Amino acid sequence: MTHKQFTFRTTKPEQKQNCSIVTIHNYYLQFSNDLNYTFSEYKGNSIHLLGNLFDYIRTNASNQELLDTLANQQSKEDFFKMLNTFYGEYVLIHATQESLIVLNDCCAQREVYYTEDYKDLASELHFISSTWEHPKNHAYYNSKLYDQKKLFIGTTTPDPSINHLSPNHYLDLLNKKTVRFFPFSKITPQSIDDVAKKAALMLKGYIKAIANRHPIILPVTGGFDSRLLFLASLPTECDYFVFQHDNMNESHYDIQIAKKLTHLFNKKLHVIEDGATDITSNKNNSFKTDYQEFIPGKVIINGNISEVARNFFNYIEPVSGIKLAVLNGFSTNNFVTNQYDQWLTKNQRLFETFGYNMLDMFYWEEKMSNWAARSKTENSKEGLEVMSPFNSRTLLELLLSTKRKDRDKYTSKLYQKIIENLATNHKTINGIPTNPDFERKKALFLKKIGLFQFYDEILLKARIMKRKI
């Protein structure tokens, strides 16, 4: 079994080297010993944690202390309410005499695959299916598009008998069904001032909690997410770096902005050169000595998942399966379109009733679980530990409680407010631009003349017209 992986099945596995086995009901949990495992039990409730939990308030709390808090909750509603406040990448197995459920973190960054009969679960598809590399499922999984992207669609996988657990759902193993547990209450609209104050507090707390257990490093770039995390990390011991790829010279805005930000706050910046554009690809020793000395043994803090609250798919209305497919880069495949239509049919009324935007939730439940999660899994297998403090349901819900027009990905008033809260007494930071690339400049110009949404819709229609049937 490779780094930080697990299986959970009804058949007893062979004991493997450097692995442990725990029995839960009639299931056997086997996990590699480098995957953090924590157990808590209280009045018939037992909870098994694979991975980590962090609290933005109790930043010194351990996995054991946080899990004990969860085990002490008196009802399922209280359990989820408490769990939602934590950040982490994890799988939880909650067992009582009458129930056995499995769920993962806010954006399903710790992956779970499961068979249709709910008897076999694992962190990697190949632990269950020996044939998935030669797909039996729909033509998409036998297409050049899949070969290029290597991304699963919705809950499907290349093996039609195996599913991928989506965010905001749990597996009810005894009743053999998948259950949505979020959202089930109406989101309360809030002002960007109130949200910014709370979000700044939460980000600082999550980063502090991570740093209390691990040495942390943070990439500094020209983006919004990077800036928020950089500012939130300032009260904590943290090292900073920027990658200078082959296609970047010293004048590249990422390099220049990183230097200005770190200089403004008297922080040392490590500029790491490499010979590849993919930071997860270390197999060919393409990274220079700086990388080998600086990265290993440390947790990388990144801004993935923040995009859920940044209108990544803009303002397309009405939403349809084909539009979602094109927006997500799968314009040539009917299977993808049909899957997204099914997702809409199942969820649109629920999300709209509770005040959530379909494009925001699509990014959360589709993009994050089938793109960011894959990246996290591959990073982990390469020995890279990447943590994303935005992976908190309470934090995302808080950010999504503001008006969409105030959290645009190009001109986010909300993120500017969070920056103001984090950069107290450093107003000069406002003079350092954010992502001054061509796409942002074009978007700002179109917004200024009132044609951004019109241009966006025309562009999408043109992409749909070119779609291969």
Side-chain angles (χ1 to χ4, degrees):
M1 188 175 287
T2 53
H3 292 297
K4 300 186 178 181
Q5 305 300 311
F6 75 91
T7 60
F8 191 48
R9 50 181 48 130
T10 54
T11 55
K12 189 173 183 178
E14 294 182 9
Q15 181 66 60
K16 296 181 179 180
Q17 189 175 9
N18 298 319
C19 289
S20 299
I21 299 177
V22 175
T23 304
I24 309 172
H25 278 261
N26 63 327
Y27 283 77
Y28 298 90
L29 173 65
Q30 185 175 52
F31 54 91
S32 54
N33 289 336
D34 62 352
L35 176 57
N36 285 342
Y37 168 77
T38 313
F39 170 73
S40 183
E41 188 171 25
Y42 180 77
K43 291 185 177 180
N45 286 327
S46 65
I47 308 180
H48 305 257
L49 170 69
L50 298 170
N52 295 288
L53 294 171
F54 300 94
D55 187 0
Y56 72 92
I57 298 175
R58 294 176 294 164
T59 58
N60 288 309
S62 65
N63 279 334
Q64 188 66 63
E65 291 170 314
L66 297 179
L67 203 63
D68 288 345
T69 300
L70 286 172
N72 289 345
Q73 300 306 306
Q74 298 301 306
S75 67
K76 184 182 291 185
E77 290 73 20
D78 290 340
F79 168 82
F80 283 119
K81 186 176 180 180
M82 178 61 67
L83 178 63
N84 289 348
T85 66
F86 298 152
Y87 154 71
E89 278 94 28
Y90 56 82
V91 172
L92 277 179
I93 303 171
H94 187 289
T96 67
Q97 265 193 325
E98 301 81 20
S99 69
L100 179 61
I101 68 171
V102 176
L103 66 150
N104 48 7
D105 54 80
C106 171
C107 288
Q109 301 300 278
R110 182 71 65 179
E111 296 187 276
V112 177
Y113 296 90
Y114 61 99
T115 54
E116 288 184 327
D117 61 8
Y118 294 85
K119 291 183 178 181
D120 205 344
L121 290 74
S123 54
E124 286 268 35
L125 185 57
H126 67 83
F127 290 144
I128 305 175
S129 172
S130 60
T131 62
W132 77 275
E133 291 182 343
H134 307 283
K136 299 181 295 181
N137 210 339
H138 190 276
Y140 161 72
Y141 288 106
N142 292 286
S143 70
K144 290 182 180 180
L145 185 61
Y146 174 69
D147 289 341
Q148 174 190 355
K149 293 181 175 292
K150 295 296 183 186
L151 292 175
F152 302 159
I153 302 300
T155 62
T156 70
T157 73
D159 189 324
S161 66
I162 300 174
N163 296 318
H164 188 211
L165 182 59
S166 288
N168 303 322
H169 294 74
Y170 65 77
L171 303 178
D172 180 345
L173 299 187
L174 300 189
N175 292 304
K176 301 185 186 306
K177 62 181 180 179
T178 303
V179 180
R180 175 180 285 280
F181 66 87
F182 180 89
F184 273 109
S185 62
K186 193 172 181 62
I187 196 166
T188 303
Q190 299 186 58
S191 71
I192 59 173
D193 289 325
D194 291 341
V195 169
K197 291 177 184 177
K198 181 71 178 292
L201 177 68
M202 294 181 73
L203 286 170
K204 286 193 292 186
Y206 287 140
I207 291 176
K208 178 65 175 176
I210 297 169
N212 283 338
R213 299 189 207 171
H214 308 278
I216 62 172
I217 57 176
L218 195 152
V220 184
T221 66
F224 269 120
D225 311 326
S226 168
R227 187 160 307 184
L228 261 62
L229 293 178
F230 170 72
L231 294 171
S233 72
L234 290 175
T236 302
E237 185 174 344
C238 179
D239 290 323
Y240 304 98
F241 71 98
V242 62
F243 274 111
Q244 184 172 357
H245 299 299
D246 282 350
N247 61 348
M248 297 165 62
N249 57 33
E250 288 293 327
S251 64
H252 190 279
Y253 66 83
D254 269 346
I255 306 293
Q256 290 302 310
I257 290 174
K259 287 182 176 180
K260 289 177 181 178
L261 283 171
T262 50
H263 177 73
L264 180 61
F265 292 91
N266 298 314
K267 298 293 183 180
K268 182 178 180 180
L269 177 70
H270 298 259
V271 179
I272 301 177
E273 298 176 304
D274 67 30
T277 56
D278 180 5
I279 70 168
T280 68
S281 177
N282 193 28
K283 294 179 181 178
N284 59 2
N285 295 318
S286 61
F287 292 110
K288 296 185 178 181
T289 305
D290 281 347
Y291 170 85
Q292 301 290 354
E293 294 178 352
F294 185 66
I295 302 290
K298 304 181 182 74
V299 167
I300 302 171
I301 305 297
N302 82 351
N304 279 162
I305 295 164
S306 166
E307 304 98 328
V308 171
R310 286 182 50 214
N311 301 354
F312 190 85
F313 291 129
N314 294 329
Y315 301 91
I316 301 299
E317 291 183 356
V319 182
S320 65
I322 189 171
K323 289 181 180 179
L324 293 178
V326 173
L327 287 169
N328 207 24
F330 294 94
S331 59
T332 63
N333 196 275
N334 286 323
F335 172 76
V336 178
T337 297
N338 292 335
Q339 288 295 315
Y340 292 168
D341 273 325
Q342 291 177 33
W343 180 85
L344 283 169
T345 299
K346 185 181 295 184
N347 297 300
Q348 188 157 8
R349 184 175 180 181
L350 174 73
F351 291 153
E352 291 178 350
T353 297
F354 292 135
Y356 290 85
N357 181 273
M358 293 303 298
L359 294 175
D360 295 339
M361 296 306 295
F362 178 75
Y363 197 92
W364 180 340
E365 298 194 348
E366 176 66 20
K367 186 79 170 180
M368 289 297 91
S369 67
N370 284 318
W371 171 70
R374 266 292 82 202
S375 176
K376 284 267 184 22
T377 299
E378 294 304 315
N379 280 332
S380 181
K381 289 194 293 186
E382 294 293 331
L384 287 174
E385 188 72 29
V386 180
M387 294 189 179
S388 307
F390 287 94
N391 191 28
S392 155
R393 198 168 282 107
T394 295
L395 178 55
L396 288 186
E397 187 176 18
L398 178 71
L399 297 173
L400 293 177
S401 70
T402 59
K403 295 177 181 178
R404 275 192 114 230
K405 68 181 181 66
D406 289 333
R407 48 185 173 83
D408 183 85
K409 67 180 177 182
Y410 297 111
T411 56
S412 178
K413 293 181 181 178
L414 172 60
Y415 276 38
Q416 292 288 2
K417 282 287 184 182
I418 299 174
I419 287 171
E420 288 178 18
N421 277 271
L422 291 169
T424 308
N425 301 323
H426 285 85
K427 302 301 182 183
T428 52
I429 196 172
N430 295 328
I432 301 177
T434 305
N435 273 349
D437 57 10
F438 174 74
E439 284 301 316
R440 184 168 189 268
K441 290 176 181 177
K442 180 178 70 175
L444 293 178
F445 173 73
L446 290 170
K447 284 176 178 292
K448 186 176 181 179
I449 63 176
L451 291 178
F452 177 78
Q453 189 165 347
F454 174 76
Y455 173 82
D456 202 36
E457 290 172 351
I458 292 295
L459 188 64
L460 180 63
K461 288 178 181 178
R463 292 168 66 187
I464 291 174
M465 289 296 291
K466 291 181 180 179
R467 179 177 178 265
K468 297 178 183 178
I469 303 301

